[in-house]
Amino acid sequence: MTDGPPGNGTIRYVMCEHCRTPNPASAASCGQCGKPMQKATEEMKVRVVNCPKCKKPLPAGSRFCGFCGAAMAPSPPQKAPPSSPPPRAPVADAPEATQVFHGLEIPKIEVVLKEMKPDGSIGEEHKVVKEARVGQSNCELTYPDDVLLSPRHSSVSIREGKAFLKDLGSRNGTFIKQRQDKELAAGDVFLLGRELFRFEVESPPPDTESEKTQVLSRVPDLASPPLKASLLHIRLNGETVDKCPLDKPETVIGRTSGDLMFKMDPYMSGKHARLKREPGRYILQDLKSRNGIYLRIRNEIQLREGDEFFAGEQIFRVQIKLAS
């Protein structure tokens, strides 16, 4: 006899765990030592069926009764207990949940150009759709009576979620209001009140000695050499009216005080601006003037919310906001 079940239709025996005596699988206790048949009892709860005729317990799946010989009805296939669905992960609140990344999205913006009247009030507003050109004829913003405008003077365009101001090769230029200190480059043109200035840098004379290799006898001076620069007072057509060498640490320009004074210019503040000399460069600073400093742009610049620019005699304030 073995622990394994014999063929279907016979009485199944199992070994007593204590004395190793074979006992019918249906026995509750061992016939030899009298101790309980725990293993058999646990297996019978699951694997035993009763004969429909003599009611004797038989192994599940028997084809006939080993006691009375009666045929056993085939056992219906046991269905596996339904598995409980896995617990669902708690859904986090929408703001804290990790979102699926679909790539970087370029923000959409709305740009509005507001006309500034001479008294400082707001005039008409113009919404920019891709691009808005300013000029004297055939433009989105046309001012036929403005003689200082070129036919197509400048444009404001929207690209990749940003706004840009571009001069279209105009005769008199496009100017933007300075919002912070500006390091000047040679040829920069700016407006104070109604006076135009151009910053010029003098080229140093050629140093023939520098073409020869020098003997290093001390630590070389790595600081930028001082620039020699001048400020030209110019007319609208570029003609020079006056020239002022910038040979002092700072040069102040104003209507009533400073190194350069323009007493007849009502649009210039008492102390309007300052040119400050630093090693290797000059800085243009606004001295909290009423009308500010306007810089002539070169080709194209990016606009920011609140920027002001003028073309011809037209002054505009820029409004930029995210599209709803």
Side-chain angles (χ1 to χ4, degrees):
M1 300 255 178
T2 64
D3 285 342
N8 290 338
T10 60
I11 299 175
R12 182 172 181 265
Y13 289 84
V14 294
M15 290 289 187
C16 173
E17 294 179 351
H18 305 282
C19 65
R20 307 300 294 173
T21 300
N23 289 273
S26 60
S29 60
C30 177
Q32 179 67 26
C33 66
K35 293 185 178 181
M37 302 286 289
Q38 295 180 356
K39 182 177 179 182
T41 303
E42 292 173 358
E43 291 181 353
M44 289 295 290
K45 290 179 181 178
V46 180
R47 304 179 62 189
V48 172
V49 295
N50 293 325
C51 173
K53 185 174 181 181
C54 67
K55 307 302 182 182
K56 297 288 186 178
L58 300 169
S62 300
R63 289 179 292 177
F64 58 89
C65 179
F67 296 97
C68 67
M72 297 288 291
S75 300
Q78 295 185 357
K79 296 181 179 180
S83 59
S84 59
R88 298 180 62 183
V91 179
D93 295 337
E96 300 178 359
T98 301
Q99 303 296 315
V100 178
F101 180 70
H102 296 292
L104 297 175
E105 296 183 0
I106 298 175
K108 295 182 179 180
I109 61 171
E110 293 180 354
V111 179
V112 176
L113 303 181
K114 300 181 178 182
E115 295 181 358
M116 303 291 294
K117 294 183 178 181
D119 60 0
S121 61
I122 303 296
E124 293 186 31
E125 298 185 2
H126 308 272
K127 185 176 181 180
V128 178
V129 180
K130 291 187 178 180
E131 183 181 25
R133 294 167 298 177
V134 181
Q136 200 176 35
S137 62
N138 300 321
C139 293
E140 285 74 21
L141 281 69
T142 300
Y143 303 90
D145 298 329
D146 190 339
V147 296
L148 298 180
L149 281 176
S150 297
R152 292 186 178 184
H153 196 106
S154 57
S155 70
V156 174
S157 59
I158 301 174
R159 299 194 311 272
E160 299 179 349
K162 299 176 182 179
F164 297 91
L165 172 65
K166 183 176 183 179
D167 185 76
L168 301 178
S170 65
R171 180 177 66 255
N172 296 319
T174 303
F175 293 74
I176 188 165
K177 193 171 187 177
Q178 178 175 306
R179 299 178 68 167
Q180 58 187 12
D181 294 353
K182 163 74 173 176
E183 179 180 348
L184 292 175
D188 276 346
V189 175
F190 57 92
L191 181 77
L192 306 179
R194 60 184 181 188
E195 312 301 327
L196 268 180
F197 300 91
R198 182 169 64 241
F199 176 73
E200 294 290 349
V201 175
E202 298 179 13
S203 301
D207 186 3
T208 57
E209 292 296 325
S210 63
E211 299 178 0
K212 302 177 182 179
T213 303
Q214 304 294 316
V215 177
L216 185 63
S217 58
R218 59 183 177 84
V219 178
D221 185 6
L222 301 179
S224 299
L227 290 180
K228 290 186 177 180
S230 300
L231 189 64
L232 305 184
H233 182 208
I234 62 175
R235 292 192 173 93
L236 192 59
N237 61 3
E239 179 185 349
T240 301
V241 178
D242 196 8
K243 179 178 180 179
C244 175
L246 300 174
D247 50 7
K248 298 196 300 184
E250 62 178 44
T251 301
V252 176
I253 305 170
R255 181 166 51 88
T256 58
S257 62
D259 302 287
L260 296 176
M261 290 188 292
F262 299 87
K263 297 181 179 180
M264 303 304 294
D265 189 341
Y267 299 101
M268 188 174 290
S269 298
K271 282 189 176 181
H272 198 108
R274 173 172 53 202
L275 278 160
K276 185 178 180 182
R277 186 176 67 185
E278 295 184 357
R281 63 177 187 168
Y282 281 82
I283 305 297
L284 177 61
Q285 299 175 327
D286 183 23
L287 299 179
K288 298 182 179 179
S289 64
R290 180 174 185 179
N291 294 313
I293 301 172
Y294 284 86
L295 296 164
R296 185 170 183 170
I297 69 172
R298 302 194 187 199
N299 191 25
E300 183 179 71
I301 61 169
Q302 182 179 338
L303 290 171
R304 296 180 297 167
E305 162 65 23
D307 273 342
E308 292 183 13
F309 71 93
F310 76 82
E313 294 183 330
Q314 313 305 317
I315 301 178
F316 302 93
R317 179 175 294 165
V318 182
Q319 176 183 297
I320 303 174
K321 63 180 181 179
L322 290 175
S324 56

